[in-house]
Amino acid sequence: MADVLLTGASALLAFQRQLDTTSHNIANVGTDGYTRQRVTLQALPGQNFGNGFIGNGVQAVSVDRLTDPFIQDRLLESLSEQSRLDRFSTYADRLDTLLSNTDTGLAQPMQNYFDALQGLSANPSSSAARNSVLAAARTLITRFQSLQTQLDATQNDINARLTQAANTANTYAAQIAQVNTEIANALAASGGQPPNDLLDQRDQLLSQLSKEIGISTAAQSDGTLNVFTANGQALVIGGTSSRLSTLPDPYQPQRLDLAIDLGAGPVRISSLASGGEIGGLLDFRREVLDPTASELGRVAASLALTVNAQNHDGMDAYGSLGGDLFNVAGPVALGSSTNTGSATLGASFANVAQLTGANYQLRYDGANWSVVDATTGAAVSFSGTGAAGNPLTFGGVSVVVSGSASAGDSFLLKPTASAASSLALATGDPNRIATALPVRIASSLANAGTATAGGLAVTDAADPNLLSSASIVFTSATTYSINGGPAQAYASGSPIAANGWSVTVSGVPAAGDTFTVSANVAGSSDNGNALALGALSTAPVLDGGTQSFNATYAGLVARVGGASQQADLQKTAQDAVQATLAAQRDSVAGVNLDEEAANLVRFQQAYQAAAQIINIANQTFAALLAAVRS
Amino acid sequence: MISRIGTSFLHLQGLSAMLLQQAKLAKVQQQMSSGQRLTRAADDPAAASNALGIDQALAELNRHDENAKSLQQRLNAEEGALTSVGDVIARVQELAVQANNGTYSDSERKAVSAELHQLYDELVGFANSGDGTGRFLFGGTQDGAAPFIRTAAGVTYRGDQGQRQIPLAPGLNVVDGDPGTEIFQRIPSGNGTFTVSAAAGNAGSASVQAAVVTNGAAWVPGNYTIQLAGGNYTVLDATSTVVASGAYVSGSAIPFNGISVTIGGTPQPGDSFGVAASGSQDVFATVQKLIDAVDLPGTTPAINAQRSTLYFGAQQDLAQALAHISDARANVGARLSAIDAAGLQRSAAKLDAHTTLSNLRDLDYTEAVTRLSLLQTALQAAQQTYQRVQGSSLFDFLR
């Protein structure tokens, strides 16, 4: 007969394992990344007694994790994306609040500045109105600068976080490599029994790593797992890991790039890395922060240049032609650290309307220059050769190359990068605001005709004769001459132009009627140019003359707000995906205490039954002995 | 359908449900305490961007309100000054009629002259009126100093002809004042077409009684001389060509070139009258001419006739000046009503802007309160569910 005692003992041992495993499950109900385990039992092969096979009891074959590797991979992906969106939306929210809040954004001070200019146009001789324009300009400049400071601080923050995330990822990668080795050893030592808790530990490390950077994995036959970045750079191969690090940008050393060292020195992978904290940081920097900085600079530069140009068209309270009201730095050209030639680039603004928010890369191939968009890499068409008389002209800037470039040299041109931080008042003298037109017109009191003059405007403030006196004398009702020059045909309502001004005369003049255009004088309360300065508030000067400053800034707010909103929405969606995946994983791998309690009861009862088998065997044996003894 | 739930997942799920409801509650709280639906652009990027544009339009409308106030004040000041000028001219007209009385003695005229001098001073004073902020109303854009100064030759203008356009509403600019040249100087003389004067040496008692345009189209501007001799008149133009001639009858019209001049009295042979095209004459010169006429001493028929012609001219000039000033006042009145019209336009635009902004940015409290109570209920439900779910465990029964 089969050995009841041995059968009972095998059952006791098996149920002992099950109770152990259930206790382990209960003990780890709060452990992150723990996968519930189950003992696989197998009946021991029976023994043939001629009249059939009699079973020999049970044995515990293995202890397995209840896991779904497919869900695990999707969980890693989802964690990566969640962490990327989390980082992205945190920064985008912060930037959005900065730009859209009245107390920190640009809209209010910009509006106040133009409001002050419009106030000045209603009262051009008031020194209070002039001073309030300067005060509003100071506030506007301070706001530009503080926004730029915040953007710079965010850049530095991103640098620090990038370095930190790279270090954290390195720590996890090294730990994964180590656990890989331990798993391979344990598998070999146990003859193929899975080292469940080491596997859990590795899965947990993978989750942590995927929060830092997007990864993909490949299982190996020896139980190890190779880990790659989302675009295929090996982070962990078996028991060895590579190092992520940060490298200064070749053009701008204060800006860090992500790099990986695969054994042959660090290689930049900023443009390739995606997912996780690192992906979020790089995406935000590329998609939101850099364009915001360029756009802010573009508003600053175009505002300064446009206001200056308009002030040049007027006459200040001292009777001089207007000068600059703002100082603003020109485009920044940065040479690559790998350049070998001696060339330097001198860049200046050429055309406000054509300024874009883009940065450009200029490359020299030994014979010719080429220009590409620094973000997209798309070729940009340009004119000129770079010589002083024929500068490279594109995107509203012109670039003069001095020194000699070597083949392969490249430069990064940031047209508006320094504009916001460098913006300053060119003069602290309120009387330098050119409110008046430089010229005025008088019609002679002796005029006998009905012609009247109006719409005097300056068309070219640089005309050397602008301030010279000029008499428009009508030689008949249909002809006039300027300063005794040749007779010209007169048509009522069409402009008469000379010396950089133009004026519209309408009506019927009599022969001898005279209009005199002469230089305006100091202290004039004319508001011709002040009106033009105030009108810049809504004038379409950007984007090829289609957008006002306010509209451009509103566009920036909408763009950052949109990025933030989109990131928030994606994050909400990703949270839902993550919750679903976590629920799915948990439905397989999670410990349920009620289930374990039931199991505990079940295995306890089984164990008690098995103990009863030993008891029965014992009694049977004792009965046999008693029978023999008596 | 998930048929198996992990205990820690159940816990986390309950917790995250509560955290989510709390985050939503915090948002409602922020919205309700600020009264704004948009707390940052991400709440509605398009609306936030639109709102910035409307903010700017609104600021501009408010600026236009300010402009309208100061413009109204200036125009009221100008209207006041013009009314006073009109009163002075009307009084001068009265005096011109009063003085044009053949029986007035030299001393009676002297009294009139004294009052005229006084009125002349007043006129200069009004022409140099200030706008209440230290600027002069009639100086054009050179309004920092009194524009009219008295010289030996009369009154000279040292302002300019500049005018300021003040924006009052989008696309509507209103001129904020008139230069002194246009108010006090560019006034047509005579009847607006021509003037008549007596030659200085006229010895007879003939004087001008009327000067009218009968056919404006036939009028040829130029200088003409009406010569009276031997009971006939001859009208010569500047080249001494005879334009018209006929028998002179006292008090009947002498017509030529679309105009007619009526001369009355008895001329001496060789007496003549000049006709010239109207030009501009400033109001000060007009009054000065009247003063000169009043001050002309003597009561001989010849001098009386000279004076009579001068009075006639002065009255014509004064009528022109008064009409010119009334026109200017009407013009200022039109601008004042343009300000009112622009004010209505701005109010409508502001209401629109406020309504739009409110729709874009303001919180709908009814909706928010409903949402608040809904979220409170949801949070309580999440809390109670958590409590119930977490409170039941099989282990409680294994005793």
Side-chain angles (χ1 to χ4, degrees):
Chain A
M1 73 177 257
D3 188 338
V4 174
L5 202 58
L6 278 181
T7 301
S10 78
L12 274 182
L13 276 175
F15 296 131
Q16 180 77 56
R17 291 282 168 274
Q18 285 189 317
L19 280 169
D20 287 348
T21 305
T22 303
S23 315
H24 188 56
N25 283 343
I26 292 171
N28 283 294
V29 71
T31 306
D32 284 342
Y34 179 77
T35 309
R36 76 184 161 112
Q37 299 175 6
R38 185 177 61 188
V39 180
T40 309
L41 298 183
Q42 196 176 43
L44 283 169
Q47 196 179 346
N48 188 359
F49 288 92
N51 51 353
F53 287 88
I54 304 297
N56 275 324
V58 67
Q59 70 169 354
V61 184
S62 67
V63 182
D64 298 308
R65 291 194 308 160
L66 283 140
T67 183
D68 180 345
F70 190 65
I71 285 185
Q72 183 65 24
D73 280 352
R74 287 186 56 200
L75 255 180
L76 290 183
E77 250 170 61
S78 160
L79 276 173
S80 239
E81 183 62 4
Q82 200 182 23
S83 160
R84 180 188 84 84
L85 288 168
D86 206 20
R87 179 53 63 206
F88 191 104
S89 82
T90 308
Y91 273 118
D93 287 2
R94 199 194 292 175
L95 192 57
D96 176 29
T97 309
L98 187 69
L99 292 177
S100 57
N101 190 307
T102 321
D103 299 326
T104 54
L106 201 56
Q108 190 74 48
M110 200 152 68
Q111 195 173 296
N112 289 348
Y113 177 64
F114 285 112
D115 185 48
L117 276 176
Q118 285 166 357
L120 181 60
S121 73
N123 215 347
S125 46
S126 151
S127 81
R130 284 179 179 270
N131 275 309
S132 71
V133 170
L134 276 196
R138 287 199 181 93
T139 313
L140 177 62
I141 289 169
T142 312
R143 189 59 60 84
F144 264 117
Q145 286 170 344
S146 80
L147 278 173
Q148 186 62 48
T149 308
Q150 295 282 348
L151 296 183
D152 290 346
T154 310
Q155 285 281 10
N156 293 337
D157 203 31
I158 286 177
N159 281 345
R161 280 189 191 273
L162 202 57
T163 311
Q164 194 186 26
N167 287 339
T168 315
N170 284 338
T171 313
Y172 291 134
Q175 287 178 3
I176 290 169
Q178 195 190 340
V179 175
N180 260 346
T181 313
E182 288 173 19
I183 288 172
N185 291 344
L187 270 172
S190 67
Q193 288 291 356
N196 293 326
D197 298 300
L198 281 176
L199 291 172
D200 276 355
Q201 198 187 335
R202 187 172 66 187
D203 284 351
Q204 184 63 14
L205 284 168
L206 284 170
S207 303
Q208 306 278 27
L209 178 60
S210 71
K211 285 182 189 167
E212 303 300 325
I213 188 168
I215 53 170
S216 61
T217 59
Q220 305 298 304
S221 56
D222 62 353
T224 62
L225 199 68
N226 292 346
V227 183
F228 306 92
T229 62
N231 58 301
Q233 261 93 12
L235 274 176
V236 180
I237 298 287
T240 56
S241 62
S242 353
R243 277 192 66 76
L244 292 172
S245 60
T246 49
L247 274 183
D249 183 279
Y251 303 102
Q252 315 164 74
Q254 72 282 8
R255 175 191 175 95
L256 296 180
D257 275 347
L258 184 71
I260 191 166
D261 188 348
L262 297 165
V267 180
R268 286 194 179 77
I269 54 166
S270 273
S271 55
L272 304 170
S274 67
E277 162 105 4
I278 288 173
L281 289 169
L282 294 174
D283 285 355
F284 172 76
R285 185 166 75 178
R286 186 177 56 245
E287 291 169 17
V288 183
L289 187 57
D290 288 349
T292 301
S294 298
E295 199 67 0
L296 186 69
R298 188 162 77 107
V299 175
S302 56
L303 186 128
L305 294 173
T306 311
V307 169
N308 282 351
Q310 189 61 57
N311 206 54
H312 287 188
D313 282 356
M315 181 174 271
D316 66 20
Y318 299 113
S320 320
L321 283 176
D324 284 353
L325 291 181
F326 290 106
N327 285 334
V328 66
V332 186
L334 302 153
S336 166
S337 54
T338 60
N339 284 359
T340 54
S342 64
T344 53
L345 301 188
S348 54
F349 294 117
N351 185 341
V352 172
Q354 283 168 12
L355 278 181
T356 67
N359 294 333
Y360 301 95
Q361 218 174 46
L362 285 81
R363 299 188 188 125
Y364 189 64
D365 67 0
N368 294 305
W369 286 93
S370 62
V371 182
V372 299
D373 186 309
T375 314
T376 63
V380 173
S381 66
F382 63 96
S383 64
T385 60
N390 189 14
L392 298 166
T393 306
F394 55 89
V397 293
S398 61
V399 179
V400 174
V401 183
S402 49
S404 63
S406 303
D409 282 3
S410 65
F411 292 84
L412 178 68
L413 183 75
K414 302 174 81 179
T416 58
S418 311
S421 58
S422 70
L423 193 66
L425 275 183
T427 172
D429 181 353
N431 288 330
R432 289 288 174 206
I433 302 168
T435 48
L437 286 178
V439 287
R440 54 181 175 172
I441 190 161
S443 77
S444 167
L445 283 172
N447 285 358
T450 61
T452 54
L456 181 65
V458 173
T459 51
D460 178 14
D463 193 298
N465 295 322
L466 180 64
L467 299 183
S468 311
S469 222
S471 298
I472 304 169
V473 179
F474 283 89
T475 45
S476 73
T478 53
T479 53
Y480 66 92
S481 73
I482 297 174
N483 283 342
Q488 302 180 54
Y490 163 75
S492 174
S494 53
I496 294 174
N499 295 353
W501 47 255
S502 93
V503 68
T504 308
V505 176
S506 42
V508 182
D513 282 5
T514 305
F515 294 88
T516 309
V517 177
S518 59
N520 218 333
V521 290
S524 170
S525 65
D526 181 39
N527 69 347
N529 203 49
L531 280 175
L533 281 168
L536 292 179
S537 154
T538 49
V541 297
L542 287 133
D543 292 331
T546 59
Q547 297 290 312
S548 68
F549 302 116
N550 185 291
T552 306
Y553 183 71
L556 175 62
V557 169
R559 181 168 167 176
V560 174
S564 170
Q565 184 195 37
Q566 201 186 358
D568 287 350
L569 291 175
Q570 283 183 339
K571 189 173 170 302
T572 311
Q574 195 59 44
D575 285 348
V577 169
Q578 173 66 21
T580 311
L581 284 174
Q584 282 176 359
R585 179 198 177 273
D586 247 49
S587 76
V588 179
V591 175
N592 183 308
L593 281 180
D594 287 348
E595 183 185 48
E596 300 303 328
N599 280 344
L600 213 51
V601 171
R602 181 154 71 98
F603 299 145
Q604 187 188 13
Q605 286 173 353
Y607 186 86
Q608 284 168 347
Q612 203 60 37
I613 295 174
I614 305 284
N615 191 23
I616 295 297
N618 185 31
Q619 286 175 11
T620 314
F621 195 56
L624 193 62
L625 281 180
V628 170
R629 198 165 35 233
S630 55
Chain B
M1 174 68 198
I2 290 170
S3 54
R4 205 185 151 277
I5 300 290
T7 301
S8 59
F9 178 75
L10 200 62
H11 173 78
L12 281 176
Q13 195 179 36
L15 191 62
S16 66
M18 284 187 285
L19 291 177
L20 185 68
Q21 299 300 342
Q22 275 168 357
K24 284 183 182 170
L25 270 172
K27 179 86 192 176
V28 182
Q29 188 186 25
Q30 192 187 15
Q31 286 180 332
M32 287 185 70
S33 56
S34 68
Q36 303 224 311
R37 183 173 71 88
L38 301 180
T39 52
R40 57 195 181 87
D43 294 335
D44 190 342
S49 162
N50 284 346
L52 285 184
I54 296 167
D55 273 342
Q56 190 190 28
L58 209 51
E60 207 151 274
L61 289 170
N62 286 333
R63 168 56 60 190
H64 289 156
D65 277 350
E66 294 295 314
N67 287 355
K69 273 183 215 156
S70 71
L71 180 55
Q72 188 154 31
Q73 188 255 327
R74 273 183 74 93
L75 289 179
N76 282 336
E78 184 178 346
E79 195 178 34
L82 289 178
T83 309
S84 307
V85 168
D87 292 349
V88 170
I89 294 174
R91 176 63 189 151
V92 172
Q93 264 182 328
E94 278 173 34
L95 289 174
V97 173
Q98 198 182 324
N100 189 12
N101 178 337
T103 65
Y104 257 37
S105 67
D106 279 359
S107 67
E108 279 168 316
R109 283 201 310 277
K110 211 162 260 175
V112 173
S113 170
E115 189 177 349
L116 283 173
H117 275 102
Q118 175 65 34
L119 291 170
Y120 186 92
D121 289 348
E122 278 181 31
L123 209 51
V124 175
F126 287 127
N128 284 332
S129 298
D131 69 353
T133 66
R135 314 298 294 186
F136 289 86
L137 280 173
F138 300 111
T141 60
Q142 287 295 306
D143 56 359
F148 288 97
I149 46 170
R150 303 181 72 151
T151 63
V155 171
T156 3
Y157 181 63
R158 60 174 185 189
D160 62 15
Q161 296 182 18
Q163 284 185 308
R164 284 182 295 267
Q165 302 272 343
I166 306 293
L168 287 191
L172 175 69
N173 287 0
V174 172
V175 171
D176 85 333
D178 297 284
T181 46
E182 307 309 308
I183 302 291
F184 299 101
Q185 294 193 303
R186 205 183 296 277
I187 303 172
S189 54
N191 59 15
T193 304
F194 65 96
T195 61
V196 188
S197 58
N202 283 359
S205 65
S207 63
V208 177
Q209 292 177 342
V212 294
V213 178
T214 51
N215 177 7
W219 165 242
V220 182
N223 291 328
Y224 300 88
T225 312
I226 303 171
Q227 289 183 340
L228 303 173
N232 289 319
Y233 68 85
T234 317
V235 182
L236 304 172
D237 68 9
T239 58
S240 300
T241 311
V242 176
V243 176
S245 60
Y248 168 72
V249 179
S250 172
S252 52
I254 301 173
F256 67 96
N257 281 4
I259 63 171
S260 97
V261 177
T262 307
I263 295 170
T266 316
Q268 291 290 315
D271 282 2
S272 69
F273 292 85
V275 172
S278 287
S280 291
Q281 175 171 291
D282 74 41
V283 68
F284 311 106
T286 299
V287 178
Q288 186 61 52
K289 275 185 178 172
L290 179 62
I291 291 173
D292 290 347
V294 172
D295 285 353
L296 201 64
T299 49
T300 64
I303 288 181
N304 277 342
Q306 280 284 0
R307 213 183 271 126
S308 176
T309 302
L310 284 173
Y311 285 146
F312 175 79
Q315 271 164 355
Q316 275 199 325
D317 289 348
L318 285 167
Q320 290 287 348
L322 198 59
H324 189 74
I325 297 291
S326 322
D327 285 354
R329 270 184 66 187
N331 217 327
V332 170
R335 279 179 233 159
L336 280 166
S337 65
I339 294 180
D340 293 343
L344 293 177
Q345 189 189 336
R346 281 197 309 275
S347 307
K350 268 198 208 171
L351 185 63
D352 271 359
H354 277 301
T355 313
T356 315
L357 261 190
S358 172
N359 286 340
L360 287 176
R361 216 154 43 184
D362 287 358
L363 184 68
D364 176 351
Y365 272 98
T366 321
E367 182 271 338
V369 169
T370 317
R371 193 146 45 93
L372 177 68
S373 66
L374 196 69
L375 285 172
Q376 274 177 325
T377 315
L379 178 61
Q380 280 168 4
Q383 284 167 337
Q384 284 173 2
T385 313
Y386 179 79
Q387 191 196 4
R388 290 288 174 85
V389 169
Q390 294 303 315
S392 63
S393 168
L394 185 54
F395 281 104
D396 294 342
F397 304 98
L398 297 180
R399 295 216 171 102

